Structures are given as C-alpha cells and as structure tokens.
Amino acid sequence: MVQFLVQSNYLREVQRTFGGGGTLDFKELLFRTLSVAVPMFVVYVLWRYRLLILHVAGRWASRLLRSRKRRAVENYLVSRSVVIEVCLYTGGVVGRKLCDARISSVAGGKMHLQLLAANPTFTHLKHLRVICFTRPFAYSGKRINAFTTLVTHVRKSGVVLKGMSLLTPVRYRFILRRRHSRQRVAQEGAVRVKAWSGQKARTFWMFRPELQTVNNPARYDARTRLAVENISAGGMRLFVVNPGGGLPPLDTGGQLVLHFSIWNPKTRKYSFFTALGTIRSRFSGRGGAIGLGIQFMAEGEKVKGRYTWHTVRGEIPALAKFLAGIEE
C-alpha cells in the first residue's frame, strides 16, 4: 500500500511538472477517445458497405420514378420461370459464372433464387456485386437482357452453393454479352491449337499435347482431335471431335494450357500465342462432339527455355492487337 501511494505521488508530481493539474478527468479522456474512434468507425462502415448503401439509395429512387415498370419486369421473370445466368461483376468486367437459376419469388426487396446448376466457389459472396443475364425480351419497346445487383444471402455446404438471394436491382437494361467480337474460323487449319491439362502449366512443353487440331481431318477418321469454331482476344470456342479415352479434365471450371497459331493472310505467316484458359461452358456438338467455351486467364511468355504466366484481365493484349490488324 505504501509503495502504491509513493508511485501515485510521484506520477502526480510529474504531471504538475509538465503543466498538468488536479486529478485525471476520466470523462474528458473518454470523450476525447470517442471523438476519434467514432468518426473512424463511421468512415470504415461507410467504406466497407459503400456498394450496399449506394445500391439501396439508387433502388429507393428508382421505386419512386419507375415502380410500375419494375414490378412488371419482375412479374414477368417470375411467372415465365425465366432462367438467369449469375456471374461475378467487378470493375465493369464480367467474372466467373456462379450458377444458373430461376427467380422463384420477389418479396421485401429480395429475389429468391431456385438454383439449377451451380459452380463450386471458395469466395465469400455476401454483398458482392453480380450481373445476371437472361434471354433478351422486350418491355415498352425496350430490349432487356441483364441487370446488376448485390448478393444478400448465401447458403453453402463447403464450396457447394445451395441457395442464394439477391437484392432487387436498380434498373433492368440491355447489355451486350460479349466484350470482344469473335472471329469465326471458316477453314480448319487457319487456327491451330495444342492443348494440355492446366495441371501441367509449369512443364507442359516437355510433354506431347493431349489434344490438338489437325491439318487434314479426312485422314484422321474416328480419332480424337480439336476443331476451332471462333476466337477472340478474350477466349475461344472449340470442339473435341470423336472424344475418347485419355482426355484431360474437361469439366466446367477446369483449365487448359493452349498453344495456338493463327494464320495471317496479310503476311502469309502464322503468329503464335500461349494462354492458360478456364472452361466456362461445356455443351454437346454434332456427332457426339464436346463443345467448350474457354476464357483466357493468363498469357504465357517463354523466358530462357521456360514459360512464365502473366495474369490478364479480359483479354490478351498481343492477341487483341493481332486480331484487330487482321480485321482492318
């Protein structure tokens, strides 16, 4: 007790020496602390939930101005069981597809979805921005095929998406699905492709391709090969003809290493590109062929006999420049 009083007196003397007087005012200390902490907390909340706040404010204004149109479009989507494709939407760029779904009901400012097919995802989706695509339809003379909104509720089992709800959007509009125009490949051989499983991205050049196009398809009879339908700076659409055993993984969400060469009719030479592509869609083609829609995620560059990968956003710049030169 004596030691405590000695320390207390010493601290009081130090306080007086530096201009302090009296006892410590805890109310004043609490007020000063809150005057700093509360504004910082408010700024953090506004920044953390800025998308949600802006979305709710925009939706409130839209209700006042276009409430009848919004209700009519929402009733159409529910009553016609329209299938929507839900994708992540960041920085104006359409990201990976999350699911196909129907809007089962709209109530309380929320769209409740009935999931039809969902891709596994590790991403924490709540309050993330998404874009939803539908088949184009018309209302009051205007075409509609998409809307952007935020995820409000997610139910998952591990990485498997089990349920999802969205906030009703600010407005419904028409958005072009494709950012890049696709060049159709009319003649086999104009675009040659060799493909490996994405698991071999670090060493693929050391192995024979697991799939590839051929110069003369008539000579290959029923053997497995690739055929390219179209290509753009952001991706390509191709078919696995006569699929058999020994194929690399071709499930949606899987990746392929693609080394392709494109014929330039102006220079009469091939130009070569290497890309790491993600399979965004898989569908059936003629004669049992497997169709694949692929989005380019990274560009390969050969340095000292090895390949390094550079992540791309939306397109491969060198390929975009090359295709633009062909179109001119």
Side-chain angles (χ1 to χ4, degrees), residues 47-150:
W47 175 256
R48 176 68 174 81
Y49 297 101
R50 65 192 183 281
L51 292 179
L52 179 62
I53 295 170
L54 291 174
H55 184 89
V56 172
R59 190 179 60 176
W60 180 80
S62 180
R63 283 181 178 177
L64 296 178
L65 301 175
R66 297 190 294 267
S67 60
R68 173 180 287 184
K69 178 179 178 180
R70 287 168 51 85
R71 285 197 301 269
V73 174
E74 288 163 2
N75 290 338
Y76 174 87
L77 294 174
V78 175
S79 61
R80 298 295 182 90
S81 297
V82 175
V83 176
I84 63 173
E85 178 184 343
V86 184
C87 303
L88 291 175
Y89 192 62
T90 306
V93 177
V94 180
R96 73 183 303 267
K97 178 180 175 180
L98 297 177
C99 64
D100 291 321
R102 289 191 177 94
I103 302 174
S104 58
S105 64
V106 178
K110 297 180 181 179
M111 290 181 164
H112 302 281
L113 304 185
Q114 175 191 356
L115 302 187
L116 303 178
N119 295 325
T121 177
F122 291 92
T123 308
H124 180 70
L125 298 175
K126 189 171 183 179
H127 295 156
L128 285 189
R129 198 177 187 195
V130 295
I131 185 167
C132 303
F133 291 106
T134 72
R135 288 187 176 182
F137 62 94
Y139 178 82
S140 299
K142 294 183 179 180
R143 297 183 70 193
I144 295 173
N145 79 330
F147 58 89
T148 58
T149 184
L150 301 179

Side-chain angles (χ1 to χ4, degrees), residues 19-322:
T23 60
L24 184 63
D25 190 343
F26 287 99
K27 291 184 178 180
E28 182 181 356
L29 178 62
L30 180 62
F31 175 77
R32 291 181 179 180
T33 303
L34 292 178
S35 65
V36 175
V38 171
M40 291 180 63
F41 178 75
V42 171
V43 170
Y44 168 77
V45 171
L46 291 176
W47 175 256
R48 176 68 174 81
Y49 297 101
R50 65 192 183 281
L51 292 179
L52 179 62
I53 295 170
L54 291 174
H55 184 89
V56 172
R59 190 179 60 176
W60 180 80
S62 180
R63 283 181 178 177
L64 296 178
L65 301 175
R66 297 190 294 267
S67 60
R68 173 180 287 184
K69 178 179 178 180
R70 287 168 51 85
R71 285 197 301 269
V73 174
E74 288 163 2
N75 290 338
Y76 174 87
L77 294 174
V78 175
S79 61
R80 298 295 182 90
S81 297
V82 175
V83 176
I84 63 173
E85 178 184 343
V86 184
C87 303
L88 291 175
Y89 192 62
T90 306
V93 177
V94 180
R96 73 183 303 267
K97 178 180 175 180
L98 297 177
C99 64
D100 291 321
R102 289 191 177 94
I103 302 174
S104 58
S105 64
V106 178
K110 297 180 181 179
M111 290 181 164
H112 302 281
L113 304 185
Q114 175 191 356
L115 302 187
L116 303 178
N119 295 325
T121 177
F122 291 92
T123 308
H124 180 70
L125 298 175
K126 189 171 183 179
H127 295 156
L128 285 189
R129 198 177 187 195
V130 295
I131 185 167
C132 303
F133 291 106
T134 72
R135 288 187 176 182
F137 62 94
Y139 178 82
S140 299
K142 294 183 179 180
R143 297 183 70 193
I144 295 173
N145 79 330
F147 58 89
T148 58
T149 184
L150 301 179
V151 178
T152 184
H153 173 74
V154 177
R155 183 166 55 87
K156 293 200 300 184
S157 177
V159 298
V160 180
L161 197 60
K162 295 293 187 179
M164 181 186 292
S165 296
L166 309 174
L167 292 176
T168 52
V170 175
R171 63 191 179 105
Y172 300 89
R173 49 186 174 164
F174 181 77
I175 300 176
L176 293 176
R177 291 293 307 270
R178 304 294 181 190
R179 179 181 175 185
H180 309 287
S181 60
R182 295 197 169 189
Q183 294 194 9
R184 189 173 185 83
V185 180
Q187 181 181 0
E188 280 195 272
V191 178
R192 300 176 179 177
V193 179
K194 296 179 180 179
W196 296 260
S197 168
Q199 298 174 353
K200 299 178 180 178
R202 295 181 180 272
T203 58
F204 72 93
W205 68 91
M206 301 170 62
F207 303 92
R208 296 185 61 181
E210 298 172 64
L211 288 169
Q212 63 180 350
T213 56
V214 298
N215 296 335
N216 191 347
R219 295 182 179 179
Y220 273 71
D221 303 322
R223 283 181 286 180
T224 304
R225 60 185 176 86
L226 286 178
V228 181
E229 183 178 86
N230 57 48
I231 187 170
S232 74
M236 65 193 315
R237 182 184 176 103
L238 49 79
F239 290 92
V240 181
V241 183
N242 301 323
L247 296 178
L250 300 177
D251 298 326
T252 303
Q255 292 189 323
L256 293 174
V257 176
L258 302 167
H259 181 72
F260 50 94
S261 52
I262 307 175
W263 177 253
N264 188 337
K266 294 183 178 180
T267 61
R268 303 187 65 81
K269 295 181 180 179
Y270 280 96
S271 293
F272 304 92
F273 304 90
T274 305
L276 182 64
T278 298
I279 300 173
R280 293 304 188 193
S281 61
R282 173 173 169 157
F283 48 92
S284 299
R286 293 181 180 179
I290 300 174
L292 301 174
I294 297 176
Q295 179 185 4
F296 299 143
M297 306 302 295
E299 180 182 8
E301 180 185 9
K302 194 171 185 179
V303 179
K304 296 181 180 180
R306 295 187 176 185
Y307 278 85
T308 58
W309 297 99
H310 307 287
T311 302
V312 297
R313 290 181 59 85
E315 67 178 20
I316 297 177
L319 179 57
K321 183 177 180 180
F322 174 80

